[in-house]
Amino acid sequence: MDYTLIIGLEIHVQLQTESKMFSASGTDFGLPPNTQTDPVSLGLPGTLPVMNRRAFELALKTAVALNAEIAPFTKWDRKNYYYPDLPKNYQISQYDLPFSRGGWLEVPPRKDGTGGGRCRLVRVHLEEDTGKLIHGNGGWSEVDLNRAGIPLLEIVTEPDLRSAQDARACLEELRLTLRYLGVSDCEMQEGSLRCDANVNIHIEREGKTIATPIVEIKNLNSFRSVERAIEYEGQRQYRAWLADGLTIKDAPKQTRGWDDEEGVTKPQREKETAADYRYFPEPDLVPVVVDAAWLERVRGSIGELPRARRERFEREHQLSAYDAGVLVEQGKEVADYYEAVGEALLARDGSAPGEVRKLAANWVTQDVLRIAKERKLEIGQFPVAAEVLAELLHRVRTRQVNTNQGREILSKLVEGEGTLEAIIAAGGYGMVTDRGALAKTIEEILAANPKALEDLKNGKKKPEAVKGWLRGQVMKATGGKADAVLVGELLEARLASEPGGSG
Amino acid sequence: MALTRADVAKVAYLARLRLEPEELERFTGQLNAIVEFVAQLQELDTTGVEPLAHGIEVRNVFREDEREPALDREEALANAPRRNDEAFLVPVVLE
């Protein structure tokens, strides 16, 4: 199918504040219905909203980090509509003078190097979240206003995304960035990150580009459903166009909901009349003026963002793009942990820093992350401090223990079997690095297994296979304690003297 | 540019007001009188005048991000026309 997906995202993010945007009740998730309200969020007559300073600052921080232009003057507007998710019958939002415009997010390419690129933003604005309706039986819906009034950031992208994978990657990079900034926990399952996708396709026919009607997909509750829904919607629009030939000029924007179980998008009931929100300036709130000094303070609070960190890991630590990507996308704490291990290792021996970083990266991405995942631990709860792992890796690096022993020691550290020293002493760890003793072991194994050299001689087995088998035997004979690097060297030299043993 | 009955009917719908035909007639006249009155402002030359975002010249009124106890649920639900043990109840509306 020769078409291109054209995708723009509309993202809502709850900001991580103690209290609501315009009032003082809390912002927790999962409380019993209507136990987190106050007179303002209930829209009781005579109450007045007051802006939450931290919410505004988190919003500023986000917009600056997303390269947006910050408005020196911004105000609030009322978006008027009748729906019981907000009892005031209007939402306090921003209309013609949002606090920021433009900006962009750099979407990282896929692991195979394709895709990615810059996704421009239309605007970022601040508003209050709405309550939740639970549609029940018997013609009545329950209204829960716990969420009403939580500070909410709306981020709208330009239709710059060209594949479902890129849309997902864009949302993932945004989440990572917002988590690095500490402005939101971005839990899609809990609704602190929500995403709608505007999708249509461009079809090339006889040198002309045909655009299909735009569809807004709602009900995207996971990163996976974002990707699946967009992929599906592209195919659906292509089939629809083959059947009815309708283009963007023939049909207005429609809304469809993603059904995750069936894996399809379904039409949602259209509003009878076009939305008419009759925005007007909110008289209960005064405008906000952001001066250069304030902006400078915000700029100074941003710190290193995921993209810069990946680049630094590649450039300064000489990590592969893959390793840098894995370390950074696991969240700030994992990358911090890796950096701490690397620094502590280098403090012990500063030679070959590239090798040291690679060693630290390998152990963190492979062993530490695997163990953390198995035990469902956040890296902050990982039982082995970076300093301790560094000491262990230092011993691996200086060949006091081999890699397999290192792994064993790490799991014992995780199990809490004692300090590093105690575990090493109790386990009798330490490498056999006696060249003469190891050479003797090799000779004994060869004598007991004459078939090994025969197979090599008549070409039945490749030298690498024979070497691998012999290495295993040496390890077995030494109780796993042989210096693997030294064994490799010895075997290399020994077999080179045998017929069929070189190359 | 006078308001038509259809305009007034739409505004009434948006405000969820049900108007009788006689009311629609009467309000169309009244609304037009109001709009005409306000339209006098258009005679002013506003060239070079910044649009006013707010009636008072105060800016940047914030509160600190501090949490206070929430309303007791019984209190919160006290004025609900219809409710159950934990929530407001409203007739099912589709968004």
Side-chain angles (χ1 to χ4, degrees), chain A residues 12-69:
Chain A
H12 285 95
V13 178
Q14 280 182 354
L15 295 175
Q16 233 163 0
T17 54
E18 274 297 304
S19 64
K20 288 183 174 175
M21 185 67 231
F22 301 113
S23 58
S25 57
T27 55
D28 296 337
F29 174 80
L31 293 180
N34 296 302
T35 57
Q36 187 166 255
T37 68
D38 56 70
V40 174
S41 55
L42 289 177
L44 297 184
T47 58
L48 287 172
V50 189
M51 276 180 279
N52 181 334
R53 182 192 303 278
R54 180 165 165 79
F56 194 84
E57 294 204 323
L58 293 180
L60 271 182
K61 195 173 170 182
T62 307
V64 170
L66 295 174
N67 315 293
E69 189 189 326

Side-chain angles (χ1 to χ4, degrees), chain A residues 25 41 79 178 198 201 204 232 246 263 276 286 297 316 337 353 440 442 477:
Chain A
S25 57
S41 55
K79 179 181 180 179
L178 298 184
N198 285 299
I201 57 173
E204 301 298 331
Y232 171 86
L246 291 182
D276 185 344
V286 297
R297 267 203 316 282
E316 288 178 16
Y337 185 87
K440 191 165 161 256
I442 291 171

Side-chain angles (χ1 to χ4, degrees), chain A residues 340-357:
Chain A
V341 172
E343 292 306 322
L345 261 172
L346 285 174
R348 286 168 173 78
D349 179 357
S351 63
E355 239 170 65
V356 169
R357 301 286 189 186

Side-chain angles (χ1 to χ4, degrees), chain B residues 52-73:
Chain B
L52 189 68
H54 201 275
I56 55 174
E57 290 292 311
V58 180
R59 306 284 179 254
N60 298 17
V61 178
F62 292 103
R63 40 174 270 275
E64 294 312 311
D65 180 28
E66 281 156 13
R67 196 181 282 205
E68 283 170 26
L71 267 187
D72 179 73
R73 180 156 70 191

